[in-house]
Amino acid sequence: MKTRGALSKTRLLPSLVGLILVLLGLAMLIGGIKLSQLGGSWYYLIAGVGVGLSGLLLIAARRAAIWLFAIFLLASTIWSLQEVGLDWWQLVPRLALWFVVGIVLLLPWVRRPLGVTRMKSASAAALSIAVILAGLTAIASQFTNPHDIEGTIVRDASGPNDAVANAMNGDWPSYGGTERGQRYSPLDQITPENVGKLEEVWRYRTGDIPGPNDPSETTAENTPLKVNGKLYVCTPHSQVIALDPDSGKELWRFDPKLSTQNADSFKGWAHMTCRGVAYYEDDGAAAEPAYASAEIGTGLAPPASDGAANGDAAPVTEEGKQQAADQAPASGVAADLADACPRRLFLPTADTRLIALNADTGEMCPGFGDNGSIDLTRNIGSFTAGGYYSTSPPSVAHGLVIIGGHVTDNESTNEPSGVIRAYDAKDGHLVWNWDSGNPDDTTPIGPDETYTRNSPNMWSVMSVDSDLGMIYLPMGNQMPDQWGGNRTPEAEKYSAGVTALDIDTGQVRWTYQFTHHDLWDMDVGGQPSLVDIQTDEGVKPALMASTKQGSIYVLDRRTGEAIVPIHEIDAPQGAVEGDHTAATQPHSELSFSPDTLHGKDMWGVTPLDQMLCRIQFQSLRYEGMFTPPSLQGSLVYPGNFGVFDWGGIAVDPERQIAFASPAYMAFTSQLVPREQADGGERISETEGVQPNAGAPYGVIMGAFLSRLGLPCQAPPWGYVAGVDLSNHQTVWQHKNGTVRDSAPVPMPLPMGVPALGGPIMTGGGVAFLSGTLDQYLRAYDVTNGEELWKGRLPAGGQTTPMTYEGKDGRQYVLVMAGGHGSLGTKQGDYVVAYALPEGDDSN
C-alpha cells in the first residue's frame, strides 16, 4: 500500500497538467463568450468548457478526464476538417496544442494515478484513437497544397517581336528594363538547366546606411541601370555611384549633399528612398515648347469602354505662347553648356531637386537648369519636411525629362500639387505641365502662380510608348486617403487609375479609373507594363496595370479600351457622415483579388491567439473588399500595401507570359473625430494618429496583427504566379518564401511571405525575385513556377533586381540589398552581382 506522501507525489504531474488545462479552459471560455456575442464561432466557448472540465477532473484524479479529453480532441479534429480541410498551417492552431496534450495524458506518469493502468483500457484506447486521427490529419495535410495552382505554360520564345526589348543590347537602360516597363531582358545565357550554378561574383558596399537622424522608413528600393558601359546605383540619400559592371569597382560618385541631412528630426518623413535614375543620350534634337506642337491631334476616336475618356486639348493663347517662349532655351554660351553633357543621368533628390549629371564623369551638367539643377519646389507652395519630393526616376522621351512626385499621405487637405512636369532634357526649361486639378491647360505656369493644391499625384514610375507619342501615368489620389467628402470633380476623375498623356504637349489622350472614389489608398503603385499581346483579333498593343486591389487591368494603350473584360461590381455602402461611397467598383477578369475573409480564416500559433484574432475580426466592420472606413474601425483587405505595389509585374513579350508576385496582408483603419485627432501624435506615415488636417476625421491605420505580432489572417501571405497572356488565365501559382528572417525563431518555414519589390524575366526562361521578407534572391522557371535556385543576401532585398551582359560576355544578375525600414527587414548598403562560373554557360 502506498503512503499518503507517495500518493501525493504521484498525483503531482496530473495535477499540474490539470491546472494548466483549467487556466486554458477559463481563458477560452471568457474569450468564447465574447466571440459568440459578436456573432462568431461557438467552438471556443464549448472548447473552454471541455478543456476546463478535463483539467478539474485531472486534479481530482478521475479517469473521466481521459474520456472527456478524448471526446474533445475527436470533436476538435472533425470541426477543424469541416472549417479548413487539409490545410496544414490552418490546422496548427486548431489541433497542435491539443494533440500534444493528448500524448501527455497517455504518458504512464499521468494516466496511472487516475487508475488507467493499461493502454488497453477503454478510456486510454479512446484517447489513443483520437490522437492517432489528429496525427493522421496532420500527416495527410503535408501532401496537399490547397492554395497552389499546378500547371505549365508550354510555349517557346516565338511570340510577337518587341523591337524595344530586342534593342537593349545586353544593357538595362531604364528602371523597368526599357521605357515600356516590361522588366524583361532578352538575355538567354542563364537557363532553367544551368541557373543552379549561379554564384556571387562581386559585392560592393555603398557606405550609405541609415543615420541617427534618419526616418525609420529609410528604404533601399533602387534598381540600378546598366548603360554607357557602366552600372549606375542610387542610394537612399540620393547619392549616385558608377560601378564597373564586371568587377563592381567604383568609378565615380556624386553626393548631392542633401539639405535635409543635418535636420534634427525626420518625424514628418514617410520615406527616404531613391528607386532609380534615368539615362539620356543626346541625339542632337531640342525639345520644343508645348505651344509649338499643340496642334498635334490624338488621332484616336473616344474609347468606348466604361471609365475611359479622351481629354480635349486646351486652346493655346498668345499669353501661353509668351510664357513658354520666356522659358525656351537660350542661345550662345547657354546652348554650348547644354551640349556639354551628351550622355547624362537625371537624379531626383530627397530635398526636392532634379539634377542632371554627366554620365561619364558624375559631374553636374552646368547647362541644365541652374548650373545642373532644377528646384522642384517652384510653384508648388508650402509643405512640411519630406512632404513632397520624387521617390521614383523620371522618364525621358522626345527630348523631354518628365517627372512627378510623392505627396505625404493623410497629413492635411492642403498638400502640394500632384503636377507632372516636362523639362527640356538639354537645358532644363519647362516645356509643359499637367496638373490633374487643372487638366486642360498644360501651358507652362507663370513664375508667380501655384499649381492646384492637393491635386492627385503620380509618385510611381510612368511608362512610355515613344512610337505612339504617349506616356502612361499610374495615378494616386487626392488627400486624405480615407475621407473624400470634399474631393473635386477633377480629383474624382483622375485618381487611382492610369492616365495617358501626349508626350509633346502633356494633353490627356485617355484616362481609365480602377477604383472609384478611393477611400482605401488604392493608388496605382506599379509601373504599367506595355506589351503587344496576341489575341483572337490579332496582335494588340496593350498596357497591363497591376493594382493594390489585385486586378490586373489590360487596356489597349492606344485608346484605353479594355482588352480583358472589366466588370463593375456592387460595392459595400455606408460611409461616415459627410462622405459617400461609389455604388460599384471595376473588376478585371484577370485578377488576383482575394476571397472575402471569414472568421475561419483567422490564424494564430495557438488556439488562444487565434481566438483573439477572431474576436478582433468580429469587432471590426467588414463586408468584403471596399468596406468603407468607419469610426468603429474597418478591416481593409487587401491592405494598403496591396496585392501589387510599386514592384509591379514582369512580362515576357515573346513567350507571352506574365510573372506576378501577389501578396495578401490585411490592414485596419479607424476614423478619428477631429478633436481626438488633434490630440493624437503622428509618429510616421504608418504609425500613430494621421491628422488629416482640414478634414472632419483623422485616421489610425495598421497591419491586422495578433498579440504576438503575427498576421491575424492565415498563411500563405505571398505567392509567385504565371499568367498566359493569350487567354489571361493564371496557369500556375505557388506560395513563396519563408519566415526565416521575420519569425521570433529563425526557422525557414515555407509559409509564403509577402514580397515588396518586383520580379524580372529573361529570354532564357528564368524569372528572378528578391523582395520577399526573407533575405534571398530566387530564380524560377517561368513555365511552371518551380523554384530553381536561391542565393542568400546580406540584407533585405526589397528592390527589383536587374540583369545585363558584362564586358566579359557573361550574363549578370544584380540586386541591391539594403533592407526596408517600414517592413523591419535587415538594413544594409550592399550591391551584389551573380553570374555563372566563368566560361560555363552550358545548358
Side-chain angles (χ1 to χ4, degrees):
M1 178 179 294
K2 293 184 178 180
T3 66
R4 182 182 300 273
L7 188 61
S8 299
K9 187 175 181 180
T10 59
R11 289 183 179 178
L12 179 61
L13 184 55
S15 295
L16 286 175
V17 175
L19 179 60
I20 293 172
L21 290 182
V22 168
L23 294 175
L24 280 172
L26 183 61
M28 293 188 69
L29 177 62
I30 295 172
I33 292 172
K34 175 67 173 177
L35 182 59
S36 62
Q37 290 173 339
L38 292 170
S41 172
W42 284 69
Y43 166 81
Y44 297 88
L45 189 157
I46 298 171
V49 173
V51 171
L53 284 177
S54 297
L56 290 173
L57 290 170
L58 276 174
I59 294 172
R62 300 293 182 87
R63 70 176 64 186
I66 304 295
W67 274 110
L68 181 57
F69 196 83
I71 295 170
F72 165 71
L73 180 55
L74 180 62
S76 292
T77 302
I78 295 171
W79 170 76
S80 299
L81 288 170
Q82 181 271 327
E83 273 216 322
V84 298
L86 293 175
D87 185 338
W88 163 251
W89 288 112
Q90 279 275 45
L91 291 172
V92 167
R94 289 170 167 82
L95 290 179
L97 178 59
W98 309 137
F99 176 79
V100 171
V101 170
I103 292 176
V104 170
L105 293 182
L106 289 173
L107 295 175
W109 305 281
V110 177
R111 59 178 169 80
R112 284 176 180 171
L114 308 180
V116 184
T117 57
R118 296 180 304 166
M119 286 296 292
K120 293 182 180 180
S121 65
S123 59
L127 182 55
S128 297
I129 292 172
V131 168
I132 290 171
L133 287 175
L136 290 175
T137 298
I139 292 171
S141 69
Q142 299 298 304
F143 298 95
T144 65
N145 293 294
H147 306 283
D148 284 9
I149 300 172
E150 300 294 339
T152 301
I153 304 175
V154 182
R155 187 181 296 118
D156 59 14
S158 59
N161 182 56
D162 192 299
V164 176
N166 291 336
M168 293 172 71
N169 294 321
D171 283 349
W172 191 274
S174 185
Y175 171 85
T178 70
E179 62 184 13
R180 296 192 174 193
Q182 295 174 350
R183 285 161 285 282
Y184 168 81
S185 169
L187 293 176
D188 58 4
Q189 187 180 108
I190 299 172
T191 67
E193 290 73 29
N194 63 25
V195 67
K197 299 179 182 180
L198 278 183
E199 59 185 18
E200 182 179 324
V201 292
W202 58 258
R203 178 183 296 196
Y204 170 81
R205 301 197 67 172
T206 69
D208 187 352
I209 57 177
N213 290 328
D214 282 332
S216 61
E217 289 83 2
T218 297
T219 62
E221 298 178 351
N222 175 242
T223 297
L225 305 186
K226 194 274 182 176
V227 66
N228 192 35
K230 301 174 181 64
L231 284 169
Y232 298 107
V233 176
C234 182
T235 74
H237 288 92
S238 308
Q239 297 179 27
V240 178
I241 304 167
L243 304 176
D244 178 84
D246 290 26
S247 66
K249 177 183 177 181
E250 183 175 317
L251 302 176
W252 56 255
R253 175 188 293 253
F254 172 78
D255 186 347
K257 304 294 183 183
L258 296 180
S259 62
T260 58
Q261 280 184 293
N262 296 320
D264 293 331
S265 172
F266 284 95
K267 276 194 174 183
W269 283 70
H271 306 283
M272 175 73 76
T273 193
C274 176
R275 292 192 184 90
V277 296
Y279 178 78
Y280 168 70
E281 192 162 331
D282 182 20
D283 60 2
E288 295 180 323
Y291 71 85
S293 55
E295 298 301 319
I296 298 175
T298 64
L300 303 172
S305 60
D306 291 341
N310 255 28
D312 297 324
V316 181
T317 65
E318 291 301 321
E319 180 183 6
K321 291 182 180 181
Q322 185 58 49
Q323 286 178 347
D326 290 341
Q327 301 182 61
S331 58
V333 175
D336 292 338
L337 288 173
D339 292 334
C341 290
R343 291 167 296 278
R344 58 185 64 183
L345 300 172
F346 291 105
L347 165 70
T349 69
D351 58 358
T352 329
R353 290 177 283 166
L354 176 61
I355 295 175
L357 299 176
N358 188 315
D360 298 324
T361 66
E363 298 175 343
M364 293 176 68
C365 298
F368 180 81
D370 182 8
N371 292 316
S373 176
I374 291 174
D375 179 6
L376 294 177
T377 67
R378 189 176 300 163
N379 305 105
I380 286 292
S382 62
F383 56 91
T384 57
Y388 177 85
Y389 75 101
S390 295
T391 56
S392 298
S395 289
V396 184
H398 291 198
L400 301 174
V401 54
I402 308 167
I403 191 166
H406 152 85
V407 177
T408 297
D409 288 346
N410 302 314
E411 185 166 328
S412 77
T413 59
N414 186 28
E415 293 302 304
S417 173
V419 64
I420 311 298
R421 288 175 280 190
Y423 299 94
D424 184 285
K426 294 180 67 173
D427 66 17
H429 77 275
L430 183 64
V431 177
W432 56 257
N433 38 228
W434 182 72
D435 177 356
S436 58
N438 182 27
D440 296 329
D441 186 2
T442 62
T443 303
I445 196 170
D448 299 325
E449 297 180 84
T450 301
Y451 295 112
T452 306
R453 297 287 288 177
N454 209 35
S455 57
N457 67 316
M458 193 285 302
W459 56 266
S460 185
V461 186
M462 67 193 81
S463 299
V464 180
D465 189 324
S466 293
D467 295 335
L468 288 177
M470 282 191 272
I471 58 172
Y472 304 93
L473 311 176
M475 295 296 294
N477 57 29
Q478 188 177 64
M479 296 300 117
D481 288 317
Q482 282 77 29
W483 189 80
N486 60 358
R487 289 180 184 164
T488 65
E490 292 80 12
E492 296 284 22
K493 179 177 181 179
Y494 291 107
S495 291
V498 167
T499 294
L501 302 182
D502 186 283
I503 295 175
D504 298 306
T505 68
Q507 292 292 326
V508 175
R509 298 277 286 266
W510 57 260
T511 188
Y512 203 113
Q513 187 172 80
F514 304 143
T515 304
H516 305 320
H517 194 66
D518 180 13
L519 300 175
W520 307 271
D521 193 17
M522 292 295 170
D523 42 10
V524 183
Q527 179 188 20
S529 296
L530 311 185
V531 58
D532 296 340
I533 292 179
Q534 183 71 55
T535 72
D536 293 339
E537 301 171 355
V539 176
K540 288 189 176 182
L543 174 148
M544 298 184 66
S546 58
T547 60
K548 290 183 178 181
Q549 70 264 36
S551 277
I552 297 178
Y553 297 92
V554 185
L555 309 176
D556 188 316
R557 64 179 183 266
R558 298 168 298 184
T559 64
E561 296 177 331
I563 294 177
V564 174
I566 300 170
H567 307 286
E568 292 286 336
I569 59 174
D570 292 338
Q573 299 297 293
V576 293
E577 183 179 354
D579 205 348
H580 67 278
T581 55
T584 62
Q585 294 289 353
H587 180 81
S588 173
E589 286 190 4
L590 173 51
S591 177
F592 289 88
S593 296
D595 294 333
T596 299
L597 290 174
H598 299 90
K600 66 181 182 180
D601 300 311
M602 298 302 103
W603 193 69
V605 176
T606 69
L608 288 178
D609 53 311
Q610 183 186 45
M611 177 184 68
L612 292 174
C613 280
R614 291 180 88 140
I615 291 172
Q616 188 178 350
F617 173 76
Q618 296 292 149
S619 301
L620 293 166
R621 180 180 178 186
Y622 180 64
E623 299 154 38
M625 193 183 301
F626 303 117
T627 298
S630 64
L631 295 169
Q632 169 188 349
S634 295
L635 187 67
V636 183
Y637 184 62
N640 57 354
F641 267 24
V643 177
F644 302 106
D645 203 352
W646 52 264
I649 61 173
V651 293
D652 182 332
E654 297 196 20
R655 290 182 178 84
Q656 294 283 284
I657 298 173
F659 185 100
S661 55
Y664 299 96
M665 293 292 292
F667 279 66
T668 61
S669 69
Q670 181 179 9
L671 295 178
V672 178
R674 179 78 273 141
E675 59 275 11
Q676 184 179 342
D678 290 340
E681 180 184 7
R682 182 178 192 266
I683 300 172
S684 70
E685 198 176 46
T686 55
E687 297 179 274
V689 179
Q690 308 303 309
N692 292 349
Y697 305 97
V699 66
I700 300 173
M701 298 179 296
F704 184 40
L705 303 177
S706 73
R707 302 294 178 88
L708 299 178
L710 299 174
C712 264
Q713 82 213 58
W717 304 296
Y719 299 85
V720 288
V723 176
D724 186 336
L725 298 183
S726 67
N727 58 16
H728 58 269
Q729 297 298 308
T730 300
V731 178
W732 55 260
Q733 177 175 286
H734 308 300
K735 63 183 179 182
N736 183 55
T738 73
V739 294
R740 170 175 175 171
D741 299 302
S742 52
V745 180
M747 297 178 65
L749 301 175
M751 300 176 72
V753 296
L756 189 59
I760 64 170
M761 300 179 77
T762 67
V766 180
F768 293 92
L769 176 69
S770 66
T772 51
L773 294 183
D774 55 352
Q775 295 166 204
Y776 289 100
L777 170 67
R778 289 181 169 87
Y780 312 84
D781 187 324
V782 302
T783 64
N784 58 23
E786 178 187 356
E787 183 181 308
L788 303 171
W789 169 89
K790 63 182 178 183
R792 182 70 173 164
L793 297 173
Q798 282 69 55
T799 59
T800 301
M802 49 85 78
T803 186
Y804 62 91
E805 183 177 10
K807 292 174 287 186
D808 59 3
R810 285 198 289 175
Q811 180 182 351
Y812 290 78
V813 180
L814 182 138
V815 63
M816 189 168 190
H820 199 283
S822 297
L823 296 179
T825 54
K826 182 180 178 181
Q827 295 190 301
D829 61 340
Y830 301 90
V831 182
V832 187
Y834 299 86
L836 297 173
E838 199 161 6
D840 184 357
D841 59 353
S842 62
N843 292 332

